[in-house]
Amino acid sequence: MSTSRRKFLKWLTAAGAASALPSVAEGHGHFTGYSDSYGVLHDTTLCVGCRSCEKACNEVNDLPAPDRPFDDPTVLSDVRRTDEKAYTVVNRYDVNGPSGSPVFRKLQCNHCKEPACASACFVGAFTKTPEGAVVYDASVCVGCRYCLMACPFDIPAYEYNKALEPRVMKCTMCHPRVAEGKLPGCVEACPMEALTFGKRDDLITIARERIRKYPDRYIDHVYGETEVGGTNWLYITGAPFETLGFRTDLGVTPAPELTSGALAMVPVVIGVWPALLGGIYIMSQRKEKIANQEKAAAVKDAINTTQAKADAALKAATEKAKNEKDKAVEKAVKKALDDAAKQTGGGEA
């Protein structure tokens, strides 16, 4: 397929704009998150796996209907992850918590205080808001999918099934609703109050108080308080976190610090994109020109060959017709002479 000028210019514009961005590693000082931001605390000891949060999330965000309805409990037999059609999922873990029952855990974007997705995105498609949510702007996204690789929780999903305008999809912590003074859809829908919305600092205080008050019910740790520098989505539970699918190997260092060395090379690579794409475009055009020239030469040769064959056939036909005509004339003359000779001989007799 040939490279159109419009497609090339689109690539060049995106690459040129990106090359003008400051280095991710340099930044504008070390960002440590917004101190007065909101968050959500998920208490897994209160969750019963009703999936009301999934249904509310689906409705609030106008997402496609699931393959199996929200009231189908068989879904909980599979360990699922979020994708482009589901910003949140509830999984069941048969680990027998303090109550002796299975433990249910809700998964969604954890909205890191220092998000790796935002740090990895060289066009600024991801933004950490003062309210606490990490939001995405599809209008500037170039589809590099660095965010998918950077996220330590494997949350962002890509719309591979949309060829023209694919987006990166993930939970927004219902940022538009929060901006209007409303609760996130999942929090509002939870009938067991397993989800609590509020200021992050207050949620940590609430979580610590529950752990202090009921030490036999909870593991003495608030997941998200310090993991990868802290997240705005927090968890407390009675079962070991690793048995519930939580990553316990992340440490407390913010993800952008861990990836700053590699990300520092991103602007360098991006800076050579215009030249690289220019070279690709020139090579492509030269290749197309040569191909067109070869095609034209082949057509010309074919025409010449066909014309030569046609001329040869016409010449042969012409010569054949001439020979046949000469023979016919010669035959007619001979016949006329023979007839005249007969008549002359007959008269003398």
PDB file of all heavy atoms in Angstrom, residues 21-25 31 109 111-129 133-136 144 146-148 150-152 156 170 255-256 259 263 266:
ATOM      1  N   LEU A  21       8.128  18.703  23.211  1.00  0.00           N
ATOM      2  CA  LEU A  21       7.762  18.569  24.614  1.00  0.00           C
ATOM      3  C   LEU A  21       8.998  18.440  25.484  1.00  0.00           C
ATOM      4  O   LEU A  21      10.021  17.918  25.061  1.00  0.00           O
ATOM      5  CB  LEU A  21       6.893  17.327  24.816  1.00  0.00           C
ATOM      6  CG  LEU A  21       5.516  17.374  24.165  1.00  0.00           C
ATOM      7  CD1 LEU A  21       4.852  16.020  24.313  1.00  0.00           C
ATOM      8  CD2 LEU A  21       4.658  18.454  24.776  1.00  0.00           C
ATOM      9  N   PRO A  22       8.939  18.894  26.745  1.00  0.00           N
ATOM     10  CA  PRO A  22      10.066  18.716  27.640  1.00  0.00           C
ATOM     11  C   PRO A  22      10.243  17.258  27.994  1.00  0.00           C
ATOM     12  O   PRO A  22       9.314  16.468  27.912  1.00  0.00           O
ATOM     13  CB  PRO A  22       9.656  19.525  28.880  1.00  0.00           C
ATOM     14  CG  PRO A  22       8.172  19.505  28.856  1.00  0.00           C
ATOM     15  CD  PRO A  22       7.802  19.571  27.389  1.00  0.00           C
ATOM     16  N   SER A  23      11.434  16.894  28.372  1.00  0.00           N
ATOM     17  CA  SER A  23      11.713  15.516  28.743  1.00  0.00           C
ATOM     18  C   SER A  23      10.885  15.112  29.944  1.00  0.00           C
ATOM     19  O   SER A  23      10.740  15.852  30.899  1.00  0.00           O
ATOM     20  CB  SER A  23      13.204  15.360  29.072  1.00  0.00           C
ATOM     21  OG  SER A  23      13.439  14.113  29.675  1.00  0.00           O
ATOM     22  N   VAL A  24      10.340  13.886  29.890  1.00  0.00           N
ATOM     23  CA  VAL A  24       9.564  13.383  31.013  1.00  0.00           C
ATOM     24  C   VAL A  24      10.443  13.272  32.246  1.00  0.00           C
ATOM     25  O   VAL A  24      10.001  13.506  33.368  1.00  0.00           O
ATOM     26  CB  VAL A  24       8.960  12.013  30.656  1.00  0.00           C
ATOM     27  CG1 VAL A  24       8.209  11.444  31.833  1.00  0.00           C
ATOM     28  CG2 VAL A  24       8.032  12.141  29.461  1.00  0.00           C
ATOM     29  N   ALA A  25      11.697  12.903  32.006  1.00  0.00           N
ATOM     30  CA  ALA A  25      12.605  12.739  33.137  1.00  0.00           C
ATOM     31  C   ALA A  25      12.950  14.067  33.781  1.00  0.00           C
ATOM     32  O   ALA A  25      13.155  14.173  34.985  1.00  0.00           O
ATOM     33  CB  ALA A  25      13.887  12.050  32.659  1.00  0.00           C
ATOM     34  N   PHE A  31       6.848  15.756  41.235  1.00  0.00           N
ATOM     35  CA  PHE A  31       5.441  15.860  41.602  1.00  0.00           C
ATOM     36  C   PHE A  31       5.086  14.737  42.568  1.00  0.00           C
ATOM     37  O   PHE A  31       5.392  13.571  42.317  1.00  0.00           O
ATOM     38  CB  PHE A  31       4.576  15.757  40.345  1.00  0.00           C
ATOM     39  CG  PHE A  31       3.103  15.759  40.633  1.00  0.00           C
ATOM     40  CD1 PHE A  31       2.467  16.897  41.095  1.00  0.00           C
ATOM     41  CD2 PHE A  31       2.346  14.616  40.444  1.00  0.00           C
ATOM     42  CE1 PHE A  31       1.101  16.892  41.358  1.00  0.00           C
ATOM     43  CE2 PHE A  31       0.984  14.600  40.705  1.00  0.00           C
ATOM     44  CZ  PHE A  31       0.375  15.749  41.160  1.00  0.00           C
ATOM     45  N   CYS A 109      -9.042   1.241  37.980  1.00  0.00           N
ATOM     46  CA  CYS A 109      -7.847   2.076  38.050  1.00  0.00           C
ATOM     47  C   CYS A 109      -7.655   2.535  39.493  1.00  0.00           C
ATOM     48  O   CYS A 109      -8.603   2.945  40.156  1.00  0.00           O
ATOM     49  CB  CYS A 109      -7.991   3.298  37.138  1.00  0.00           C
ATOM     50  SG  CYS A 109      -6.630   4.491  37.273  1.00  0.00           S
ATOM     51  N   HIS A 111      -5.732   5.032  40.385  1.00  0.00           N
ATOM     52  CA  HIS A 111      -5.517   6.479  40.396  1.00  0.00           C
ATOM     53  C   HIS A 111      -4.309   6.852  41.274  1.00  0.00           C
ATOM     54  O   HIS A 111      -4.444   7.503  42.311  1.00  0.00           O
ATOM     55  CB  HIS A 111      -6.785   7.203  40.847  1.00  0.00           C
ATOM     56  CG  HIS A 111      -7.954   6.940  39.950  1.00  0.00           C
ATOM     57  ND1 HIS A 111      -8.157   7.606  38.775  1.00  0.00           N
ATOM     58  CD2 HIS A 111      -8.960   6.020  40.039  1.00  0.00           C
ATOM     59  CE1 HIS A 111      -9.242   7.139  38.174  1.00  0.00           C
ATOM     60  NE2 HIS A 111      -9.753   6.174  38.922  1.00  0.00           N
ATOM     61  N   CYS A 112      -3.148   6.422  40.821  1.00  0.00           N
ATOM     62  CA  CYS A 112      -1.898   6.675  41.554  1.00  0.00           C
ATOM     63  C   CYS A 112      -1.692   8.163  41.804  1.00  0.00           C
ATOM     64  O   CYS A 112      -2.052   9.007  40.972  1.00  0.00           O
ATOM     65  CB  CYS A 112      -0.720   6.133  40.757  1.00  0.00           C
ATOM     66  SG  CYS A 112      -0.819   4.379  40.364  1.00  0.00           S
ATOM     67  N   LYS A 113      -1.108   8.478  42.958  1.00  0.00           N
ATOM     68  CA  LYS A 113      -0.775   9.873  43.258  1.00  0.00           C
ATOM     69  C   LYS A 113       0.228  10.409  42.242  1.00  0.00           C
ATOM     70  O   LYS A 113       0.172  11.575  41.847  1.00  0.00           O
ATOM     71  CB  LYS A 113      -0.203   9.986  44.670  1.00  0.00           C
ATOM     72  CG  LYS A 113      -1.212   9.722  45.777  1.00  0.00           C
ATOM     73  CD  LYS A 113      -0.564   9.832  47.150  1.00  0.00           C
ATOM     74  CE  LYS A 113      -0.070  11.243  47.420  1.00  0.00           C
ATOM     75  NZ  LYS A 113       0.530  11.351  48.776  1.00  0.00           N
ATOM     76  N   GLU A 114       1.158   9.544  41.835  1.00  0.00           N
ATOM     77  CA  GLU A 114       2.127   9.879  40.795  1.00  0.00           C
ATOM     78  C   GLU A 114       1.998   8.833  39.694  1.00  0.00           C
ATOM     79  O   GLU A 114       2.739   7.861  39.668  1.00  0.00           O
ATOM     80  CB  GLU A 114       3.538   9.904  41.362  1.00  0.00           C
ATOM     81  CG  GLU A 114       3.710  10.882  42.511  1.00  0.00           C
ATOM     82  CD  GLU A 114       5.093  10.826  43.128  1.00  0.00           C
ATOM     83  OE1 GLU A 114       6.069  11.083  42.392  1.00  0.00           O
ATOM     84  OE2 GLU A 114       5.203  10.488  44.315  1.00  0.00           O
ATOM     85  N   PRO A 115       1.032   9.011  38.799  1.00  0.00           N
ATOM     86  CA  PRO A 115       0.681   7.959  37.838  1.00  0.00           C
ATOM     87  C   PRO A 115       1.757   7.687  36.795  1.00  0.00           C
ATOM     88  O   PRO A 115       2.287   8.603  36.160  1.00  0.00           O
ATOM     89  CB  PRO A 115      -0.598   8.496  37.182  1.00  0.00           C
ATOM     90  CG  PRO A 115      -0.541   9.972  37.379  1.00  0.00           C
ATOM     91  CD  PRO A 115       0.153  10.184  38.689  1.00  0.00           C
ATOM     92  N   ALA A 116       2.064   6.414  36.636  1.00  0.00           N
ATOM     93  CA  ALA A 116       3.044   6.010  35.634  1.00  0.00           C
ATOM     94  C   ALA A 116       2.523   6.248  34.222  1.00  0.00           C
ATOM     95  O   ALA A 116       3.287   6.579  33.316  1.00  0.00           O
ATOM     96  CB  ALA A 116       3.383   4.531  35.815  1.00  0.00           C
ATOM     97  N   CYS A 117       1.210   6.091  34.025  1.00  0.00           N
ATOM     98  CA  CYS A 117       0.638   6.298  32.691  1.00  0.00           C
ATOM     99  C   CYS A 117       0.835   7.735  32.226  1.00  0.00           C
ATOM    100  O   CYS A 117       1.160   7.986  31.062  1.00  0.00           O
ATOM    101  CB  CYS A 117      -0.848   5.930  32.680  1.00  0.00           C
ATOM    102  SG  CYS A 117      -1.847   6.824  33.897  1.00  0.00           S
ATOM    103  N   ALA A 118       0.648   8.699  33.149  1.00  0.00           N
ATOM    104  CA  ALA A 118       0.834  10.106  32.805  1.00  0.00           C
ATOM    105  C   ALA A 118       2.300  10.411  32.545  1.00  0.00           C
ATOM    106  O   ALA A 118       2.650  11.193  31.661  1.00  0.00           O
ATOM    107  CB  ALA A 118       0.295  11.003  33.914  1.00  0.00           C
ATOM    108  N   SER A 119       3.182   9.781  33.317  1.00  0.00           N
ATOM    109  CA  SER A 119       4.605   9.999  33.145  1.00  0.00           C
ATOM    110  C   SER A 119       5.095   9.425  31.826  1.00  0.00           C
ATOM    111  O   SER A 119       5.958  10.000  31.167  1.00  0.00           O
ATOM    112  CB  SER A 119       5.374   9.359  34.309  1.00  0.00           C
ATOM    113  OG  SER A 119       6.758   9.503  34.135  1.00  0.00           O
ATOM    114  N   ALA A 120       4.533   8.295  31.425  1.00  0.00           N
ATOM    115  CA  ALA A 120       4.967   7.636  30.193  1.00  0.00           C
ATOM    116  C   ALA A 120       4.398   8.285  28.947  1.00  0.00           C
ATOM    117  O   ALA A 120       4.939   8.112  27.855  1.00  0.00           O
ATOM    118  CB  ALA A 120       4.568   6.166  30.224  1.00  0.00           C
ATOM    119  N   CYS A 121       3.308   9.042  29.091  1.00  0.00           N
ATOM    120  CA  CYS A 121       2.631   9.627  27.924  1.00  0.00           C
ATOM    121  C   CYS A 121       3.323  10.911  27.492  1.00  0.00           C
ATOM    122  O   CYS A 121       3.247  11.930  28.186  1.00  0.00           O
ATOM    123  CB  CYS A 121       1.161   9.899  28.251  1.00  0.00           C
ATOM    124  SG  CYS A 121       0.237  10.536  26.838  1.00  0.00           S
ATOM    125  N   PHE A 122       3.985  10.901  26.317  1.00  0.00           N
ATOM    126  CA  PHE A 122       4.751  12.063  25.888  1.00  0.00           C
ATOM    127  C   PHE A 122       3.900  13.143  25.236  1.00  0.00           C
ATOM    128  O   PHE A 122       4.409  14.212  24.903  1.00  0.00           O
ATOM    129  CB  PHE A 122       5.883  11.633  24.938  1.00  0.00           C
ATOM    130  CG  PHE A 122       5.428  10.891  23.716  1.00  0.00           C
ATOM    131  CD1 PHE A 122       4.957  11.565  22.605  1.00  0.00           C
ATOM    132  CD2 PHE A 122       5.484   9.507  23.668  1.00  0.00           C
ATOM    133  CE1 PHE A 122       4.550  10.887  21.476  1.00  0.00           C
ATOM    134  CE2 PHE A 122       5.090   8.813  22.545  1.00  0.00           C
ATOM    135  CZ  PHE A 122       4.618   9.504  21.432  1.00  0.00           C
ATOM    136  N   VAL A 123       2.603  12.899  25.041  1.00  0.00           N
ATOM    137  CA  VAL A 123       1.735  13.938  24.488  1.00  0.00           C
ATOM    138  C   VAL A 123       0.756  14.474  25.528  1.00  0.00           C
ATOM    139  O   VAL A 123      -0.100  15.298  25.218  1.00  0.00           O
ATOM    140  CB  VAL A 123       0.944  13.415  23.260  1.00  0.00           C
ATOM    141  CG1 VAL A 123       1.884  13.086  22.122  1.00  0.00           C
ATOM    142  CG2 VAL A 123       0.095  12.210  23.622  1.00  0.00           C
ATOM    143  N   GLY A 124       0.872  14.004  26.771  1.00  0.00           N
ATOM    144  CA  GLY A 124       0.021  14.533  27.839  1.00  0.00           C
ATOM    145  C   GLY A 124      -1.424  14.103  27.745  1.00  0.00           C
ATOM    146  O   GLY A 124      -2.324  14.862  28.138  1.00  0.00           O
ATOM    147  N   ALA A 125      -1.677  12.888  27.246  1.00  0.00           N
ATOM    148  CA  ALA A 125      -3.066  12.421  27.149  1.00  0.00           C
ATOM    149  C   ALA A 125      -3.633  12.059  28.517  1.00  0.00           C
ATOM    150  O   ALA A 125      -4.847  12.045  28.703  1.00  0.00           O
ATOM    151  CB  ALA A 125      -3.151  11.211  26.214  1.00  0.00           C
ATOM    152  N   PHE A 126      -2.760  11.762  29.485  1.00  0.00           N
ATOM    153  CA  PHE A 126      -3.200  11.439  30.841  1.00  0.00           C
ATOM    154  C   PHE A 126      -2.843  12.583  31.784  1.00  0.00           C
ATOM    155  O   PHE A 126      -1.743  13.135  31.706  1.00  0.00           O
ATOM    156  CB  PHE A 126      -2.546  10.140  31.338  1.00  0.00           C
ATOM    157  CG  PHE A 126      -3.129   8.907  30.735  1.00  0.00           C
ATOM    158  CD1 PHE A 126      -2.582   8.364  29.587  1.00  0.00           C
ATOM    159  CD2 PHE A 126      -4.242   8.291  31.300  1.00  0.00           C
ATOM    160  CE1 PHE A 126      -3.123   7.231  29.015  1.00  0.00           C
ATOM    161  CE2 PHE A 126      -4.784   7.151  30.730  1.00  0.00           C
ATOM    162  CZ  PHE A 126      -4.223   6.619  29.582  1.00  0.00           C
ATOM    163  N   THR A 127      -3.771  12.900  32.679  1.00  0.00           N
ATOM    164  CA  THR A 127      -3.579  14.001  33.616  1.00  0.00           C
ATOM    165  C   THR A 127      -4.043  13.596  35.007  1.00  0.00           C
ATOM    166  O   THR A 127      -5.108  12.993  35.160  1.00  0.00           O
ATOM    167  CB  THR A 127      -4.379  15.247  33.189  1.00  0.00           C
ATOM    168  OG1 THR A 127      -4.020  15.600  31.847  1.00  0.00           O
ATOM    169  CG2 THR A 127      -4.094  16.421  34.113  1.00  0.00           C
ATOM    170  N   LYS A 128      -3.229  13.910  36.010  1.00  0.00           N
ATOM    171  CA  LYS A 128      -3.635  13.719  37.405  1.00  0.00           C
ATOM    172  C   LYS A 128      -4.354  14.979  37.841  1.00  0.00           C
ATOM    173  O   LYS A 128      -3.781  16.065  37.854  1.00  0.00           O
ATOM    174  CB  LYS A 128      -2.411  13.467  38.286  1.00  0.00           C
ATOM    175  CG  LYS A 128      -2.731  13.287  39.759  1.00  0.00           C
ATOM    176  CD  LYS A 128      -3.499  12.001  40.024  1.00  0.00           C
ATOM    177  CE  LYS A 128      -3.684  11.771  41.523  1.00  0.00           C
ATOM    178  NZ  LYS A 128      -4.418  10.518  41.799  1.00  0.00           N
ATOM    179  N   THR A 129      -5.625  14.847  38.215  1.00  0.00           N
ATOM    180  CA  THR A 129      -6.416  16.018  38.582  1.00  0.00           C
ATOM    181  C   THR A 129      -6.291  16.321  40.080  1.00  0.00           C
ATOM    182  O   THR A 129      -6.007  15.419  40.877  1.00  0.00           O
ATOM    183  CB  THR A 129      -7.897  15.791  38.246  1.00  0.00           C
ATOM    184  OG1 THR A 129      -8.402  14.735  39.087  1.00  0.00           O
ATOM    185  CG2 THR A 129      -8.069  15.400  36.780  1.00  0.00           C
ATOM    186  N   ALA A 133      -8.544  11.991  40.543  1.00  0.00           N
ATOM    187  CA  ALA A 133      -8.691  11.070  39.417  1.00  0.00           C
ATOM    188  C   ALA A 133      -7.577  11.266  38.389  1.00  0.00           C
ATOM    189  O   ALA A 133      -7.046  12.366  38.219  1.00  0.00           O
ATOM    190  CB  ALA A 133     -10.044  11.274  38.751  1.00  0.00           C
ATOM    191  N   VAL A 134      -7.247  10.195  37.701  1.00  0.00           N
ATOM    192  CA  VAL A 134      -6.357  10.259  36.549  1.00  0.00           C
ATOM    193  C   VAL A 134      -7.247  10.158  35.323  1.00  0.00           C
ATOM    194  O   VAL A 134      -7.927   9.141  35.116  1.00  0.00           O
ATOM    195  CB  VAL A 134      -5.326   9.114  36.553  1.00  0.00           C
ATOM    196  CG1 VAL A 134      -4.457   9.172  35.295  1.00  0.00           C
ATOM    197  CG2 VAL A 134      -4.452   9.179  37.792  1.00  0.00           C
ATOM    198  N   VAL A 135      -7.283  11.222  34.517  1.00  0.00           N
ATOM    199  CA  VAL A 135      -8.197  11.275  33.379  1.00  0.00           C
ATOM    200  C   VAL A 135      -7.415  11.237  32.069  1.00  0.00           C
ATOM    201  O   VAL A 135      -6.214  11.496  32.026  1.00  0.00           O
ATOM    202  CB  VAL A 135      -9.084  12.539  33.436  1.00  0.00           C
ATOM    203  CG1 VAL A 135      -9.972  12.501  34.670  1.00  0.00           C
ATOM    204  CG2 VAL A 135      -8.227  13.799  33.444  1.00  0.00           C
ATOM    205  N   TYR A 136      -8.143  10.957  31.003  1.00  0.00           N
ATOM    206  CA  TYR A 136      -7.535  10.707  29.688  1.00  0.00           C
ATOM    207  C   TYR A 136      -8.191  11.576  28.633  1.00  0.00           C
ATOM    208  O   TYR A 136      -9.411  11.740  28.604  1.00  0.00           O
ATOM    209  CB  TYR A 136      -7.711   9.222  29.352  1.00  0.00           C
ATOM    210  CG  TYR A 136      -7.480   8.831  27.916  1.00  0.00           C
ATOM    211  CD1 TYR A 136      -6.192   8.755  27.385  1.00  0.00           C
ATOM    212  CD2 TYR A 136      -8.558   8.489  27.096  1.00  0.00           C
ATOM    213  CE1 TYR A 136      -5.985   8.356  26.065  1.00  0.00           C
ATOM    214  CE2 TYR A 136      -8.351   8.084  25.787  1.00  0.00           C
ATOM    215  CZ  TYR A 136      -7.068   8.021  25.269  1.00  0.00           C
ATOM    216  OH  TYR A 136      -6.866   7.628  23.974  1.00  0.00           O
ATOM    217  N   CYS A 144       0.361   5.265  21.062  1.00  0.00           N
ATOM    218  CA  CYS A 144       1.645   4.580  21.287  1.00  0.00           C
ATOM    219  C   CYS A 144       1.520   3.450  22.301  1.00  0.00           C
ATOM    220  O   CYS A 144       2.298   2.512  22.306  1.00  0.00           O
ATOM    221  CB  CYS A 144       2.704   5.578  21.748  1.00  0.00           C
ATOM    222  SG  CYS A 144       2.422   6.235  23.412  1.00  0.00           S
ATOM    223  N   TYR A 146       2.210   3.394  25.432  1.00  0.00           N
ATOM    224  CA  TYR A 146       3.206   3.334  26.495  1.00  0.00           C
ATOM    225  C   TYR A 146       2.523   3.220  27.857  1.00  0.00           C
ATOM    226  O   TYR A 146       3.063   2.615  28.784  1.00  0.00           O
ATOM    227  CB  TYR A 146       4.090   4.590  26.479  1.00  0.00           C
ATOM    228  CG  TYR A 146       5.066   4.666  25.337  1.00  0.00           C
ATOM    229  CD1 TYR A 146       5.636   5.881  24.962  1.00  0.00           C
ATOM    230  CD2 TYR A 146       5.434   3.523  24.626  1.00  0.00           C
ATOM    231  CE1 TYR A 146       6.541   5.961  23.919  1.00  0.00           C
ATOM    232  CE2 TYR A 146       6.334   3.600  23.582  1.00  0.00           C
ATOM    233  CZ  TYR A 146       6.888   4.821  23.227  1.00  0.00           C
ATOM    234  OH  TYR A 146       7.784   4.887  22.200  1.00  0.00           O
ATOM    235  N   CYS A 147       1.338   3.809  27.977  1.00  0.00           N
ATOM    236  CA  CYS A 147       0.613   3.780  29.247  1.00  0.00           C
ATOM    237  C   CYS A 147       0.276   2.357  29.663  1.00  0.00           C
ATOM    238  O   CYS A 147       0.299   2.018  30.850  1.00  0.00           O
ATOM    239  CB  CYS A 147      -0.658   4.623  29.146  1.00  0.00           C
ATOM    240  SG  CYS A 147      -1.732   4.159  27.765  1.00  0.00           S
ATOM    241  N   LEU A 148      -0.053   1.503  28.671  1.00  0.00           N
ATOM    242  CA  LEU A 148      -0.389   0.117  28.976  1.00  0.00           C
ATOM    243  C   LEU A 148       0.810  -0.610  29.566  1.00  0.00           C
ATOM    244  O   LEU A 148       0.679  -1.422  30.481  1.00  0.00           O
ATOM    245  CB  LEU A 148      -0.865  -0.612  27.724  1.00  0.00           C
ATOM    246  CG  LEU A 148      -2.353  -0.496  27.352  1.00  0.00           C
ATOM    247  CD1 LEU A 148      -2.698   0.921  26.946  1.00  0.00           C
ATOM    248  CD2 LEU A 148      -2.699  -1.465  26.227  1.00  0.00           C
ATOM    249  N   ALA A 150       3.386   0.906  31.072  1.00  0.00           N
ATOM    250  CA  ALA A 150       3.897   1.567  32.267  1.00  0.00           C
ATOM    251  C   ALA A 150       3.081   1.257  33.514  1.00  0.00           C
ATOM    252  O   ALA A 150       3.621   1.219  34.620  1.00  0.00           O
ATOM    253  CB  ALA A 150       3.932   3.082  32.046  1.00  0.00           C
ATOM    254  N   CYS A 151       1.780   1.031  33.373  1.00  0.00           N
ATOM    255  CA  CYS A 151       0.910   0.854  34.538  1.00  0.00           C
ATOM    256  C   CYS A 151       1.316  -0.375  35.351  1.00  0.00           C
ATOM    257  O   CYS A 151       1.329  -1.499  34.837  1.00  0.00           O
ATOM    258  CB  CYS A 151      -0.545   0.717  34.096  1.00  0.00           C
ATOM    259  SG  CYS A 151      -1.681   0.447  35.484  1.00  0.00           S
ATOM    260  N   PRO A 152       1.635  -0.204  36.629  1.00  0.00           N
ATOM    261  CA  PRO A 152       2.035  -1.351  37.454  1.00  0.00           C
ATOM    262  C   PRO A 152       0.865  -2.270  37.800  1.00  0.00           C
ATOM    263  O   PRO A 152       1.074  -3.383  38.280  1.00  0.00           O
ATOM    264  CB  PRO A 152       2.608  -0.689  38.710  1.00  0.00           C
ATOM    265  CG  PRO A 152       1.902   0.625  38.798  1.00  0.00           C
ATOM    266  CD  PRO A 152       1.708   1.066  37.373  1.00  0.00           C
ATOM    267  N   PRO A 156      -5.022   0.056  32.108  1.00  0.00           N
ATOM    268  CA  PRO A 156      -5.507   0.635  30.843  1.00  0.00           C
ATOM    269  C   PRO A 156      -5.720  -0.438  29.777  1.00  0.00           C
ATOM    270  O   PRO A 156      -4.941  -1.393  29.667  1.00  0.00           O
ATOM    271  CB  PRO A 156      -4.368   1.594  30.444  1.00  0.00           C
ATOM    272  CG  PRO A 156      -3.670   1.908  31.719  1.00  0.00           C
ATOM    273  CD  PRO A 156      -3.746   0.656  32.529  1.00  0.00           C
ATOM    274  N   LYS A 170     -10.279   3.279  30.619  1.00  0.00           N
ATOM    275  CA  LYS A 170     -10.085   2.920  32.019  1.00  0.00           C
ATOM    276  C   LYS A 170     -11.033   3.728  32.898  1.00  0.00           C
ATOM    277  O   LYS A 170     -11.648   4.702  32.450  1.00  0.00           O
ATOM    278  CB  LYS A 170      -8.640   3.166  32.452  1.00  0.00           C
ATOM    279  CG  LYS A 170      -8.294   4.635  32.641  1.00  0.00           C
ATOM    280  CD  LYS A 170      -6.941   4.806  33.280  1.00  0.00           C
ATOM    281  CE  LYS A 170      -6.778   6.242  33.805  1.00  0.00           C
ATOM    282  NZ  LYS A 170      -7.682   6.526  34.929  1.00  0.00           N
ATOM    283  N   ALA A 255       6.219   4.983  40.588  1.00  0.00           N
ATOM    284  CA  ALA A 255       6.579   4.368  39.314  1.00  0.00           C
ATOM    285  C   ALA A 255       7.347   5.309  38.390  1.00  0.00           C
ATOM    286  O   ALA A 255       8.279   4.874  37.716  1.00  0.00           O
ATOM    287  CB  ALA A 255       5.317   3.848  38.617  1.00  0.00           C
ATOM    288  N   PRO A 256       7.011   6.615  38.305  1.00  0.00           N
ATOM    289  CA  PRO A 256       7.780   7.491  37.422  1.00  0.00           C
ATOM    290  C   PRO A 256       9.270   7.541  37.762  1.00  0.00           C
ATOM    291  O   PRO A 256      10.102   7.687  36.865  1.00  0.00           O
ATOM    292  CB  PRO A 256       7.116   8.860  37.629  1.00  0.00           C
ATOM    293  CG  PRO A 256       5.720   8.533  38.000  1.00  0.00           C
ATOM    294  CD  PRO A 256       5.836   7.299  38.855  1.00  0.00           C
ATOM    295  N   THR A 259      10.963   4.508  36.257  1.00  0.00           N
ATOM    296  CA  THR A 259      11.035   4.480  34.795  1.00  0.00           C
ATOM    297  C   THR A 259      11.670   5.722  34.205  1.00  0.00           C
ATOM    298  O   THR A 259      11.766   5.845  32.989  1.00  0.00           O
ATOM    299  CB  THR A 259       9.611   4.348  34.204  1.00  0.00           C
ATOM    300  OG1 THR A 259       8.803   5.439  34.665  1.00  0.00           O
ATOM    301  CG2 THR A 259       8.973   3.043  34.624  1.00  0.00           C
ATOM    302  N   LEU A 263      12.398   6.530  30.342  1.00  0.00           N
ATOM    303  CA  LEU A 263      11.527   7.549  29.755  1.00  0.00           C
ATOM    304  C   LEU A 263      12.317   8.757  29.278  1.00  0.00           C
ATOM    305  O   LEU A 263      11.864   9.498  28.402  1.00  0.00           O
ATOM    306  CB  LEU A 263      10.475   7.988  30.778  1.00  0.00           C
ATOM    307  CG  LEU A 263       9.440   6.926  31.136  1.00  0.00           C
ATOM    308  CD1 LEU A 263       8.553   7.424  32.261  1.00  0.00           C
ATOM    309  CD2 LEU A 263       8.607   6.559  29.936  1.00  0.00           C
ATOM    310  N   VAL A 266      12.734   8.755  25.675  1.00  0.00           N
ATOM    311  CA  VAL A 266      11.570   8.901  24.801  1.00  0.00           C
ATOM    312  C   VAL A 266      11.649  10.160  23.951  1.00  0.00           C
ATOM    313  O   VAL A 266      11.474  10.100  22.732  1.00  0.00           O
ATOM    314  CB  VAL A 266      10.260   8.875  25.620  1.00  0.00           C
ATOM    315  CG1 VAL A 266       9.074   9.224  24.736  1.00  0.00           C
ATOM    316  CG2 VAL A 266      10.073   7.491  26.232  1.00  0.00           C
TER     317      VAL A 266
END
